[in-house]
Amino acid sequence: MNEPQYILFPVRSAEQGYVRPEIGRDKRSNRIFDAKTFVFDLTNDRWYRGDGATKGGVDLKSEPLYISSADARYLRQALNLSDLPDKLAARTALDVYSKPEAGLMADWTPYVSPPAGSWWATPGNFDNQVIRRPDGTFELARDFDAYWETATRGLTVTELFIDAENGDDVTGDGLTWGTAWKTLAKPGAETSNWTSVQAVILNIRGTFDWLAMWSITGVDPAKPLMVRGHGEARVAVSVAASTITWTQESSPNTDVWGFDYSAQSAPVGARTPNGVYDPGQLDAFGDYTSYSSAESIEECQASPQSFFLDTVNSKFYVHTATDPSSTSAAVSVDRCGLALGTNAQTFLDSITIEGGWASIITGSSTTMQSLFYRRCKFTSTFPDPAGVQSGNAMNFTPSPNGLCIGWDSIATKAWKDGFSYSGTNTVVEVRNIGRSNGVDVAGTAHNGTTGHGAIRALLLSGQYYKNLNRNVHYVQTSTLWAIGCAAGDATTDLTDADQSVDWFVSFTGGGVTAWLDRCVRFGNSLHPLMVIDGTVRVRNCNFQPADFTGGGSAYSY
């Protein structure tokens, strides 16, 4: 069969076979086909953007679009360019659509232009990375897998396996599920075996006691590390109440049970308890129940589902309906879930981190640190007894120039804030949910997502609701661009009810530093928008600039 070497497709043509060119998407790089033309090269089964060099009389770009050989064969068959016998059903790397679908979507515009004059409009600052999906939601042109591929291109990736239920740190070598290790401490203990490793994937499944810091000595700190969950993958920075020996208090405090944490064996003995949550008691959203804090045994007795930490006598108390050892409650301990330190590029995929004083924390760094996470849940955090860590679900604080991007993840039931950022860093949230944060009802403003310092934040189709006082909160010299997000039903405390706000901004020095596009507010929050200082631009929202309160300004754009 004589096939042409190249097939050229004009953009926005619904008549060129079964491909929808104007919104075809390479799922590995997640690039949208939006050039003037693009080319399918039949000699190597690859797409090329048609706005570069010339080859065979057809414009070609030097950088190809990635497509697997299996999908290339499928595409060739779909275009009736060959008679390959394998009728592949999988479409893992390229979206392929029928002619009717292509015709229906012909007017769809994929890219969203950043606000003029914003940081995001500067070339290289995600200026061509925001796309609008046909369903009206928004996302990045590059997804989690594309960032991992870029980070590991040219590197040797070593996969390790850790199974909390069936693994064995003594006999296992960690190289397969059948020979998996058992604990998350094992990779670090085996550093001498991995001095030549360039990039690492830790495959984990089961429930782990806690996770401190993943690091493998000998690996260049700039080399990437991924922790990928399989099935139920939970890192519990806590101890099951059923494993602790409790003592019931005497009358009149008989609903209170306590234990001496200084006398407990590991892991409690190594850390101080700092809170209680119950994975067996779920709220309407499927989130764990968190206990409140009491200041004395008597107050704990008066408050069901509360705890009291007596650091003077190394005692920890909890109010439950029965002996805590017969409940599903968990005692959070004074530690974080993941501390980002030596690895500059960290990827988290499909894991839950619960308990402790933060699910994730990063320290200041002189070099750029990057965190990418997908389908994760950060929940049930409490402050540390020393008062240093406030109990945010996620603290991303490296500076300067850190990068943090999350997809389809949830921060909930944090003592204070859900997604929390500070420093001079760039953060992106894609379809994230920050809800029910601010378990500490005595606080004045706890948020679903928040930025302090000089954060550059891009929020795409996120949902932020039922957080204490302020659902979305960006202050100081931060820059915020929110598209297609929803915020509502901010809860209030008794001392600061006027702070029930869906969108709160306060920018030191003024200037236009926030843009809200196609965002909505809902529910019973007192204020849709509060601007203390600076200027916010609003368009296509279900609230108007005139609806704002505060000493700043809000205008349409």
Side-chain angles (χ1 to χ4, degrees), residues 373-394:
Y373 59 95
R374 173 178 65 180
R375 295 192 294 264
C376 292
K377 189 171 185 177
F378 313 120
T379 184
S380 307
T381 52
F382 301 86
D384 74 298
V388 177
Q389 300 295 333
S390 59
N392 299 329
M394 186 178 75

Side-chain angles (χ1 to χ4, degrees), residues 249 253 256 292-303 306-310 317-319:
E249 288 297 293
N253 301 314
V256 176
S292 61
S293 176
E295 298 298 323
S296 65
I297 294 177
E298 292 73 23
E299 184 178 333
C300 190
Q301 168 66 28
S303 306
S306 65
F307 64 88
F308 168 54
L309 173 62
D310 181 357
Y317 302 93
V318 62
H319 181 157

Side-chain angles (χ1 to χ4, degrees), residues 91 110 183 201 231 328 405 438 510:
R91 306 177 185 182
T183 69
I201 297 177
S328 54
I405 306 180

Side-chain angles (χ1 to χ4, degrees), residues 139 373-377 406-410 419 429-433:
E139 67 177 345
Y373 59 95
R374 173 178 65 180
R375 295 192 294 264
C376 292
K377 189 171 185 177
W407 293 262
D408 302 299
S409 295
I410 299 173
F419 298 102
E429 296 182 18
V430 184
R431 296 182 299 275
N432 276 7
I433 297 175

Side-chain angles (χ1 to χ4, degrees), residues 56-372:
V58 179
D59 287 340
L60 247 99
K61 188 173 181 178
S62 58
E63 179 184 357
L65 301 172
Y66 294 96
I67 178 170
S68 72
S69 59
D71 292 313
R73 291 195 300 272
Y74 180 90
L75 182 61
R76 290 160 66 97
Q77 183 179 337
L79 293 172
N80 296 318
L81 298 177
S82 66
D83 298 320
L84 294 177
D86 48 340
K87 298 182 182 299
L88 300 174
R91 306 177 185 182
T92 58
L94 187 74
D95 286 336
V96 180
Y97 299 87
S98 67
K99 288 181 181 179
E101 288 177 308
L104 288 173
M105 300 310 302
D107 295 329
W108 181 63
T109 301
Y111 281 106
V112 177
S113 298
S118 70
W119 180 86
W120 306 96
T122 303
N125 293 347
F126 291 84
D127 55 304
N128 62 346
Q129 286 293 306
V130 178
I131 59 175
R132 184 186 181 199
R133 296 165 56 88
D135 62 6
T137 61
F138 300 87
E139 67 177 345
L140 288 182
R142 298 182 68 207
D143 65 3
F144 180 90
D145 293 324
Y147 277 99
W148 174 252
E149 180 184 352
T150 299
T152 58
R153 189 170 296 160
L155 303 179
T156 299
V157 179
T158 299
E159 292 204 44
L160 305 177
F161 297 83
I162 309 174
D163 189 331
E165 304 301 324
N166 304 308
D168 193 313
D169 283 353
V170 177
T171 62
D173 59 16
L175 298 180
T176 67
W177 283 120
T179 59
W181 288 326
K182 186 176 182 64
T183 69
L184 291 165
K186 186 62 173 176
E190 295 292 325
T191 55
S192 60
N193 294 335
W194 307 108
T195 56
S196 62
V197 169
Q198 295 180 316
V200 180
I201 297 177
L202 292 184
N203 296 284
I204 69 172
R205 66 186 179 195
T207 300
F208 299 87
D209 288 337
W210 68 45
L211 181 60
M213 181 186 296
W214 296 294
S215 63
I216 296 181
T217 302
V219 179
D220 185 333
K223 300 302 170 56
L225 168 67
M226 180 190 292
V227 182
R228 175 185 290 156
H230 297 262
E232 183 183 67
R234 295 169 56 210
V235 176
V237 193
S238 60
V239 180
S242 60
T243 65
I244 298 172
T245 300
W246 299 84
T247 300
Q248 187 176 24
E249 288 297 293
S250 58
S251 180
N253 301 314
T254 54
D255 291 327
V256 176
W257 302 73
F259 70 93
D260 181 352
Y261 59 83
S262 67
Q264 298 293 307
S265 60
V268 178
R271 295 288 168 174
T272 303
N274 68 331
V276 180
Y277 63 96
D278 195 334
Q281 293 188 15
L282 306 181
D283 65 13
F285 301 107
D287 299 328
Y288 304 156
T289 297
S290 290
Y291 285 30
S292 61
S293 176
E295 298 298 323
S296 65
I297 294 177
E298 292 73 23
E299 184 178 333
C300 190
Q301 168 66 28
S303 306
Q305 293 191 325
S306 65
F307 64 88
F308 168 54
L309 173 62
D310 181 357
T311 56
V312 175
N313 299 300
S314 299
K315 297 288 185 67
F316 187 77
Y317 302 93
V318 62
H319 181 157
T320 54
T322 184
D323 184 341
S325 62
S326 64
T327 72
S328 54
V331 177
S332 174
V333 296
D334 177 22
R335 194 153 184 169
C336 69
L338 167 63
L340 300 183
T342 59
N343 288 89
Q345 299 181 83
T346 305
F347 293 74
L348 305 179
D349 189 7
S350 305
I351 63 175
T352 294
I353 305 179
E354 61 191 58
W357 40 253
S359 296
I360 298 177
I361 188 168
T362 59
S364 297
S365 175
T366 57
T367 60
M368 178 178 174
Q369 290 177 309
S370 299
L371 172 65
F372 305 91

